[in-house]
Amino acid sequence: MAEVAAAAASLQSLQSHNGAGLLVPPGRAEPESSPARSHGGTRASSVEEEKNGVHEDGTGRPSTTVSGSSSVSGGNHGGGSMVFAPLTAKKGPQSFFSGSKIKHLKKADGIPLWRVDIQYEFLQAVFKDTQPVFTNVYTGEKGYSFADIYVDAMARSSKTSKILRDKLLTERENALNMAMVCLLVNVGRMNTTLNFFPEMKAQLRTYHAIPSLQAHTDSNAYKQLQDAPRLKSILKGACEDRAEPQTLEQIMKQRSPSTNPINLVFILSTYAPKVSECHFPENMDFYDLVMRTTLSSRSRARAFLWLMWFYLESDFTEQKCLENPFGKGKLSRDKSKSWCVPEFEYLTEEQAAKENVDTEEEIAFGEAKREERKRLLGEIHSAPPGSGRGRGRKDKSFESGPSPDAQSPSGSPPPGMKSLSM
């Protein structure tokens, strides 16, 4: 017993001497005394998360009421100002790509991603805006829309093949469809487990059709959408091919435009709590732009573009906030600056239900792809041993029970849609 007590005392002494340098594995809660808890990018205490509706297991759900809490905790903690230490990375801003605290879009294999899932009208409003108020950071030329500079950054990525680059620059509609999915990956709403082709066989990924983006293209063009891992690679390439700012402070110290829009979205997502504190009213945060359905899609898109112009084109003065082409800045939470995004348009539940309604053609496309996926999985699982990677794998993709996404239970279209029998 004396030896055990001595060993325990020695271990405690060692931990107290080196504890500040220990790293906590991702996903594991850190001790309250750990210095890492003071970093601005980490979550507050579990009590504070409970207040904001997000729990340790990540099961917090977006608010569906106008007066409710924001979609994601982290940015609305009030109190003193938050200090953000510079991000560090071995090679470029790789720490940006570890994923944000937004709730990932997840569904059972084969279930389509409907308009409401991807917030199609928000994406349309962002990429269909034609105001020529942005500058191409690579060439210094002015007079571009946000869609122009975003697609251009995608095309310039070292991870974009020559064939895909040419298509991005010549096939506008398909390029915008791909950019819409890229933005969801960029902000963290989509993770790298999603695939958009029914022939996919990888066991660690799930297939999902996106009818609003795929139903209106020919059978070959829809494959240009790529899958989420490839899209993430393209986005990372756009941030690693040359020296880019890694923090909000670095962006604000450099001459505008100091970075490309892809890198800016990664930075805003990484520093979402600080962005929420500076640019959003109380009980709202950055991720409400892609999650909160009781704010109109158009007003959320306007707020997103306001932020893009603020960080890419302005000199961060009060005057520029008032001259923002996407609306005059509102007073921030502390009433000291006009740094808050333009006022949102609030919707009732009934009004929100009228947005992002799939067409009959899209519903038919989604159901057809679901059946095709089910048939292909059946062929893979019934193949003789050694003939494919699906050997011996149990098909859980179409078991009965609730879908992981409550907006489309049991794989059916969202409420209000008529499911088509195939």
Side-chain angles (χ1 to χ4, degrees):
M1 294 297 293
E3 293 179 356
V4 173
S10 176
L11 177 59
Q12 183 177 3
S13 175
L14 180 61
Q15 289 178 334
S16 64
H17 180 71
N18 297 324
L22 297 177
L23 297 179
V24 178
R28 182 176 299 175
E30 299 176 1
E32 288 296 330
S33 60
S34 171
R37 299 286 288 188
S38 64
H39 190 286
T42 60
R43 291 192 174 192
S45 66
S46 59
V47 174
E48 194 68 27
E49 288 180 340
E50 291 284 345
K51 292 180 180 179
N52 286 282
V54 178
H55 306 278
E56 290 290 342
D57 60 1
T59 58
R61 301 192 61 78
S63 169
T64 56
T65 60
V66 174
S67 60
S69 60
S70 59
S71 299
V72 184
S73 68
N76 302 325
H77 298 307
S81 60
M82 303 177 70
V83 179
F84 286 78
L87 294 178
T88 58
K90 295 181 179 179
K91 177 183 177 184
Q94 290 183 343
S95 54
F96 293 164
F97 313 127
S98 60
S100 55
K101 295 180 178 63
I102 190 173
K103 180 187 176 185
H104 295 313
L105 183 57
K106 291 186 178 181
K107 285 192 170 188
D109 188 282
I111 307 304
L113 300 179
W114 306 105
R115 289 192 179 206
V116 69
D117 298 317
I118 66 171
Q119 285 298 291
Y120 175 79
E121 290 191 18
F122 162 77
L123 296 174
Q124 279 277 304
V126 168
F127 285 100
K128 294 295 184 179
D129 186 274
T130 58
Q131 294 189 70
V133 294
F134 290 95
T135 304
N136 187 314
V137 68
Y138 299 98
T139 65
E141 296 179 81
K142 298 181 179 295
Y144 292 96
S145 67
F146 176 76
D148 293 333
I149 62 171
Y150 196 90
V151 171
D152 181 75
M154 290 165 52
R156 291 177 184 269
S157 171
S158 60
K159 302 299 175 62
T160 302
S161 66
K162 184 179 183 305
I163 294 176
L164 180 57
R165 182 178 297 112
D166 291 342
K167 288 185 176 182
L168 286 173
L169 298 177
T170 58
E171 300 178 11
R172 182 69 172 180
E173 286 303 314
N174 290 330
L176 293 182
N177 287 347
M178 182 175 170
M180 291 179 193
V181 180
C182 276
L183 183 58
L184 294 177
V185 176
N186 205 171
V187 79
R189 179 63 170 143
M190 280 188 179
N191 62 16
T192 53
T193 63
L194 304 184
N195 188 289
F196 312 119
F197 314 119
E199 303 86 358
M200 185 272 301
K201 298 180 181 179
Q203 294 189 16
L204 299 180
R205 299 180 190 171
T206 55
Y207 161 71
H208 309 280
I210 309 183
S212 58
L213 302 182
Q214 295 176 315
H216 309 292
T217 59
D218 62 68
S219 58
N220 293 321
Y222 91 89
K223 292 188 176 183
Q224 182 184 329
L225 201 55
Q226 306 295 309
D227 56 16
R230 287 189 178 91
L231 296 180
K232 186 72 170 280
S233 177
I234 290 172
L235 298 177
K236 289 175 64 176
C239 302
E240 296 176 341
D241 295 338
R242 63 177 200 163
E244 299 283 355
Q246 298 185 38
T247 67
L248 293 174
E249 289 77 9
Q250 290 177 8
I251 290 179
M252 298 178 73
K253 288 179 180 179
Q254 297 183 27
R255 191 173 181 178
S256 298
S258 60
T259 189
N260 65 62
I262 293 174
N263 190 57
L264 174 59
V265 173
F266 274 130
I267 293 177
L268 293 178
S269 299
T270 300
Y271 290 100
K274 185 65 175 179
V275 172
S276 303
E277 179 185 334
C278 292
H279 300 295
F280 288 81
E282 294 289 347
N283 298 320
M284 292 185 60
D285 65 29
F286 174 70
Y287 293 126
D288 286 333
L289 296 179
V290 293
M291 295 279 291
R292 198 162 179 176
T293 59
T294 50
L295 301 174
S296 74
S297 297
R298 187 169 296 278
S299 65
R300 285 185 282 132
R302 182 174 65 243
F304 176 83
L305 292 171
W306 190 97
L307 284 174
M308 294 295 103
W309 191 90
F310 178 81
Y311 282 104
L312 292 175
E313 302 292 334
S314 79
D315 57 7
F316 311 107
T317 62
E318 185 80 4
Q319 184 63 28
K320 285 295 184 181
C321 289
L322 298 175
E323 294 176 355
N324 192 308
F326 299 101
K328 292 183 179 180
K330 303 295 182 182
L331 286 176
S332 56
R333 295 180 185 181
D334 59 7
K335 311 299 182 184
S336 62
K337 301 176 182 178
S338 298
W339 279 26
C340 193
V341 297
E343 190 172 350
F344 290 95
E345 178 187 359
Y346 293 89
L347 304 178
T348 64
E349 295 292 338
E350 293 73 20
Q351 291 172 325
K354 294 179 181 179
E355 291 195 339
N356 298 299
V357 178
D358 296 84
T359 66
E360 291 186 4
E361 179 185 0
E362 292 165 1
I363 296 174
F365 179 90
E367 294 294 338
K369 289 300 177 182
R370 181 188 177 189
E371 290 299 319
E372 180 181 353
R373 175 64 173 169
K374 187 174 182 179
R375 176 182 58 78
L376 290 172
L377 284 178
E379 293 177 357
I380 293 173
H381 298 156
S382 62
S387 62
R389 288 183 291 177
R391 175 168 51 103
R393 182 186 176 195
K394 181 181 178 182
D395 182 7
K396 299 182 180 180
S397 306
F398 299 92
E399 292 180 350
S400 59
S403 165
D405 194 310
Q407 291 177 319
S408 300
S410 302
S412 60
M417 296 185 189
K418 182 179 179 181
S419 180
L420 302 182
S421 59
M422 301 303 296

